[in-house]
Amino acid sequence: MTARAMGVTGTAGRAANGTFATEPAPLAPATVQALEAAGLDVPDVVRVVRAALDEDFRYGADVTSAATVAGRTVTADVVAREAGVVAGLPVAMAVFDLLGDYLGDEAAGSVTAAVSATDGARVSAGDAVLRVSGDAVAVLGAERTMLNFVTHLSGIASATREWADAVAGTGAVVRDTRKTLPGLRALQKYAVRCGGGQNHRMGLGDAALVKDNHVAAAGGVAAAVRAVRSAARPGLVIEVECDSVAQVREALEAGARFILLDNMPVPTLREAVALARAYDGVRLEASGRLRVANAREVASTGVDYLSVGSLTHSSRALDLGLDYSGAN
């Protein structure tokens, strides 16, 4: 896969001299295809990658690389240092595609990159997931930005897979939350999907979630449900957060059919599930006090989902590094 080819364009990035480039660099068609196949919005990925490259090139070119490896070419592999689940390889390709805005087309245009793994695949220590070749200054200029994306997203995917494996066979599904890093929500939630989880809300408007503050402001669970239903567009999913069986009953009697069971111990979860199953079409999500160690016990209560905010706000990066296999 060639990292520089005509394709989708975005806004201009910052060049090596600290000024913004006047011509936006395109993404290679293969990169666009990979991002779209992953369900990622191409302009959004371009925006995020440009922001990351802007940080590294804000003060100009890489002085160290220019002084030590200028004129040389290298071949290197992104290699897993530990077992996990890989995610973010199409984003890594976008990093290489956009280098021309920062290093010039001659250097960046020499870079080729090809993936040797698939997002969502399990990897072992020593497995190579991507190979890159070309101008040494360009490869080194992209290295940290590319690894930042891939290690972070692979960490989320790996953590999600651990949770998904813990509840396998119970019928319950692990879901994320909106506890994401600003600007990275779409990518972090993509990584959750790579790990076998599902996404909850992408934003405030694609579903309604009645939480404790809404209940307090409305004067009760039933009043909050009625208010949201009257204001929401037809067909919008309305989920209600409940922290007691009494609130679950009130929400169900008000017509709610998606209930978030918040911070309930396992015996209370079982009671709430038994109550809710008397109503048709109810979906239940457990949230709070969840750990991988008790995930299966919680899932076995009969809930449909486990809500795990730590997937996106606390997962550690998966250790991957760039190993050089040749230089000249």
Side-chain angles (χ1 to χ4, degrees), residues 91-102:
V91 182
M93 299 304 299
V95 173
F96 293 113
D97 286 356
L98 294 171
L99 275 178
D101 277 354
Y102 304 84

Side-chain angles (χ1 to χ4, degrees), residues 260-264 269 285-290 305-307:
L260 180 69
L261 306 172
D262 188 44
N263 284 297
M264 292 185 181
L269 281 173
E285 183 167 21
S287 176
R289 300 182 183 177
L290 303 182
Y305 303 101
L306 276 68
S307 176

Side-chain angles (χ1 to χ4, degrees), residues 22-83:
T22 57
E23 292 296 328
L27 294 185
T31 304
V32 174
Q33 183 179 8
L35 292 171
E36 291 178 340
L40 291 169
D41 181 73
V42 174
D44 186 59
V45 172
V46 169
R47 174 190 59 80
V48 172
V49 170
R50 286 194 189 283
L53 289 170
D54 281 351
E55 289 179 338
D56 256 357
F57 288 96
R58 179 174 183 177
Y59 304 103
D62 177 4
V63 176
T64 310
S65 294
T68 58
V69 298
R72 301 179 65 183
T73 60
V74 297
T75 297
D77 294 310
V78 176
V79 178
R81 308 277 195 246
E82 59 181 328

Side-chain angles (χ1 to χ4, degrees), residues 281-294:
V282 175
R283 307 294 283 176
L284 299 169
E285 183 167 21
S287 176
R289 300 182 183 177
L290 303 182
R291 306 180 308 279
V292 172
N294 72 350

Side-chain angles (χ1 to χ4, degrees), residues 26-219:
L27 294 185
T31 304
V32 174
Q33 183 179 8
L35 292 171
E36 291 178 340
L40 291 169
D41 181 73
V42 174
D44 186 59
V45 172
V46 169
R47 174 190 59 80
V48 172
V49 170
R50 286 194 189 283
L53 289 170
D54 281 351
E55 289 179 338
D56 256 357
F57 288 96
R58 179 174 183 177
Y59 304 103
D62 177 4
V63 176
T64 310
S65 294
T68 58
V69 298
R72 301 179 65 183
T73 60
V74 297
T75 297
D77 294 310
V78 176
V79 178
R81 308 277 195 246
E82 59 181 328
V85 175
V86 69
L89 295 178
V91 182
M93 299 304 299
V95 173
F96 293 113
D97 286 356
L98 294 171
L99 275 178
D101 277 354
Y102 304 84
L103 296 175
D105 286 341
E106 182 175 354
S110 73
V111 176
T112 61
V115 298
S116 50
T118 303
D119 276 6
R122 297 178 189 264
V123 295
S124 300
D127 287 349
V129 300
L130 182 149
R131 171 162 287 189
V132 58
S133 300
D135 180 88
V137 173
V139 171
L140 290 173
E143 177 180 3
R144 178 42 50 198
T145 296
M146 175 268 296
L147 286 176
N148 283 348
F149 281 117
V150 176
T151 59
H152 177 61
L153 298 179
S154 296
I156 292 172
S158 300
T160 305
R161 174 49 62 190
E162 184 178 8
W163 280 86
D165 288 349
V167 303
T170 65
V173 176
V174 175
R175 298 214 299 181
D176 55 27
T177 70
R178 285 172 39 248
K179 297 174 182 177
T180 55
L181 292 174
L184 294 181
R185 177 168 297 170
L187 292 182
Q188 290 186 310
K189 284 178 171 280
Y190 165 67
V192 168
R193 299 196 299 274
C194 288
Q198 289 184 7
N199 299 146
H200 193 193
R201 295 190 298 173
M202 297 300 292
L204 290 170
D206 55 343
L209 178 55
V210 178
K211 296 178 70 68
D212 52 358
N213 287 334
H214 304 121
V215 170

